[in-house]
Amino acid sequence: MKRFCKKMWAAAAVFVLAVSLLAGCGSAVKPEAYATTPVATVGEETIYLDEANFYLRSDQYYYEMMYSYMYGTSDIWNMEVSTGVTMADDMRESVLATLRQTYILCSHADELGVSLSEADLAKVEETIDSSLEQSDPALLERINMDRERMVEIMTKNALANRVWEAVVAAADTNVSDEEARCVGASYVLVAEKAEGESQAAEETQAEGEEAASPKVMAQEIYDAVRGGSTLADAAALYALTPSSATYFIGDTFDAGTLGAHALALAEGESELFKVDGTGWYVMVLDSEMDEAATNARRESIIAQRQAEVFNETYPAWQEAVTFTVDEKVWKAVPFDTIFVIPTAEETTAGEETTAAQGAGEETTAPAQSEAGGETAAGEDGAQSSAAETTAAG
């Protein structure tokens, strides 16, 4: 699998340094003691609660931003992700897996000749400073970690990512266009009507006027496309809008599925076909190689190859090192809500302020922080952190 570092920076309106040391009721450890309280060991090394909490709060804030608008934040951490496992439990386990791998990878840096360059170290500090400047004030009020400790944690994370890069360097990253090729198609569905719907439609027709069946409508759209019309224009006559899809040529599609039909077409060709229980489709193959989808598939293939190489090495490293967790300490860390949904009044006030400012002065788009980009997810649900971006430059 890809380097297992959870995403630590949210690509949102604010760039979040996701660090918070919440005590909460019932916590066995006070915030001021987090830095000296062991929560786990990896071999002979000790992981302290402040570092574990650094990872935990970053994930917590990110997920609260994502899901609070749908579910609210009051019960989000009590929601079950599987039988008997809450989101809070799952996140705690994920953070420990991240830390375990980080420490194990760092322990192999010397034998692989891996170290951080001056540019890497500078990038770590730049990322910390940028995030501190742009973090949510509500979150910053709860920070109980100095900048030096943040840099130390992120430097370790960056080194682990460099080790990961060294391990997977043996993977073949040359993927041709043909290996990754995805076709792009557009299609319109003229849905079959249920028996009740068909009867109602017939009753509303003017006398002497015959309702067009789905098959007839689809045929007319198909004929128009073959006559030189675009699919969008032909479908618009029936108040329909085409959908787009891409299909990887290496995938296996069952006969009669949209993917099977798309792969059977040449660029520019169209087809009319029926899918029982759904309706009639008019499909046009727009491109025999959709560039964006092909590039995405290429990255996916490379990631899979890297995961295979990594899994040839890392499991033995992990097996050789004893990992212990102080569950009493770790489970006592609370999941108090960090992110607060803006009220309607706050949102409206913000929009009015923006509108007023826009009317009175010329503005320019702000420059994006180089360290603020959202990183890509790896295989098996693993994700790289901002430190990977930091190390990679």
Side-chain angles (χ1 to χ4, degrees):
M1 67 178 178
K2 193 174 181 182
R3 177 67 185 103
F4 195 92
C5 276
K6 296 297 289 182
K7 183 184 303 175
M8 303 186 70
W9 314 106
V14 292
F15 183 55
V16 179
L17 172 63
V19 187
S20 182
L21 301 175
L22 308 180
C25 297
S27 175
V29 182
K30 300 301 180 184
E32 56 269 21
Y34 275 26
T36 57
T37 302
V39 68
T41 60
V42 184
E44 300 299 318
E45 294 193 84
T46 300
I47 300 174
Y48 290 94
L49 192 55
D50 62 339
E51 183 174 8
N53 199 67
F54 181 99
Y55 283 78
L56 185 71
R57 297 311 178 193
S58 68
D59 286 352
Q60 180 186 354
Y61 191 93
Y62 175 73
Y63 279 98
E64 285 182 357
M65 278 203 304
M66 284 200 306
Y67 294 122
S68 60
Y69 289 99
M70 293 183 288
Y71 306 113
T73 52
S74 58
D75 294 319
I76 185 173
W77 300 113
N78 293 320
M79 293 171 58
E80 288 193 348
V81 295
S82 60
T83 304
V85 179
T86 65
M87 282 190 66
D89 295 333
D90 185 66
M91 185 165 290
R92 283 192 175 97
E93 183 178 351
S94 176
V95 165
L96 291 177
T98 297
L99 286 165
R100 181 183 189 179
Q101 190 181 91
T102 297
Y103 274 73
I104 291 174
L105 288 177
C106 286
S107 72
H108 289 271
D110 288 343
E111 71 183 73
L112 295 178
V114 175
S115 62
L116 295 178
S117 67
E118 290 299 320
D120 291 336
L121 295 173
K123 188 68 173 180
V124 169
E125 299 212 22
E126 178 187 333
T127 300
I128 293 295
D129 289 337
S130 177
S131 60
L132 282 171
E133 291 175 1
Q134 301 178 54
S135 292
D136 185 340
L139 180 57
L140 287 177
E141 288 177 2
R142 292 178 167 182
I143 293 177
N144 190 26
M145 178 184 288
D146 61 29
R147 179 184 179 280
E148 182 180 359
R149 179 59 171 151
M150 296 176 199
V151 171
E152 180 183 348
I153 291 172
M154 293 300 286
T155 297
K156 184 186 301 152
N157 183 271
L159 179 60
N161 277 288
R162 284 302 193 204
V163 175
W164 177 86
E165 291 173 355
V167 173
V168 304
D172 180 10
T173 58
N174 293 315
V175 180
S176 68
D177 285 346
E178 188 57 30
E179 287 179 274
R181 184 164 65 87
C182 297
V183 303
S186 297
Y187 61 87
V188 167
L189 166 63
V190 183
E192 291 182 329
K193 293 184 175 68
E195 183 175 343
E197 292 177 338
S198 298
Q199 182 177 353
E202 291 175 0
E203 292 174 352
T204 57
Q205 291 296 311
E207 185 176 350
E209 183 180 329
E210 184 176 347
S213 69
K215 179 179 179 180
V216 170
M217 289 173 58
Q219 183 68 54
E220 291 177 352
I221 294 172
Y222 177 59
D223 290 341
V225 169
R226 295 185 67 189
S229 175
T230 66
L231 181 59
D233 288 344
L237 297 175
Y238 297 94
L240 297 175
T241 302
S243 298
S244 298
T246 58
Y247 304 94
F248 175 46
I249 62 167
D251 284 341
T252 301
F253 297 97
D254 293 335
T257 60
L258 298 186
H261 283 280
L263 295 185
L265 293 173
E267 187 169 320
E269 286 186 345
S270 57
E271 184 182 8
L272 170 64
F273 58 92
K274 183 182 181 183
V275 174
D276 289 338
T278 303
W280 292 86
Y281 285 88
V282 180
M283 175 177 282
V284 177
L285 192 72
D286 301 313
S287 173
E288 291 185 346
M289 190 183 80
D290 182 282
E291 185 173 349
T294 297
N295 287 335
R297 175 62 65 165
R298 191 191 332 273
E299 293 302 316
S300 176
I301 293 171
I302 291 172
Q304 180 60 40
R305 292 177 181 178
Q306 290 174 328
E308 291 169 357
V309 170
F310 187 74
N311 285 332
E312 292 172 1
T313 301
Y314 180 74
W317 289 357
Q318 179 170 291
E319 187 68 24
V321 179
T322 301
F323 181 65
T324 63
V325 179
D326 188 330
E327 295 289 355
K328 183 178 179 180
V329 168
W330 188 226
K331 288 186 177 179
V333 177
F335 266 80
D336 306 61
T337 298
I338 301 175
F339 178 74
V340 179
I341 305 174
T343 65
E345 291 77 8
E346 290 172 337
T347 302
T348 303
E351 292 173 350
E352 291 175 350
T353 301
T354 302
Q357 290 175 339
E361 58 186 58
E362 183 178 351
T363 59
T364 57
Q368 285 190 327
S369 168
E370 184 180 353
E374 182 174 356
T375 55
E379 295 299 304
D380 303 324
Q383 295 176 308
S384 59
S385 72
E388 180 173 343
T389 305
T390 298

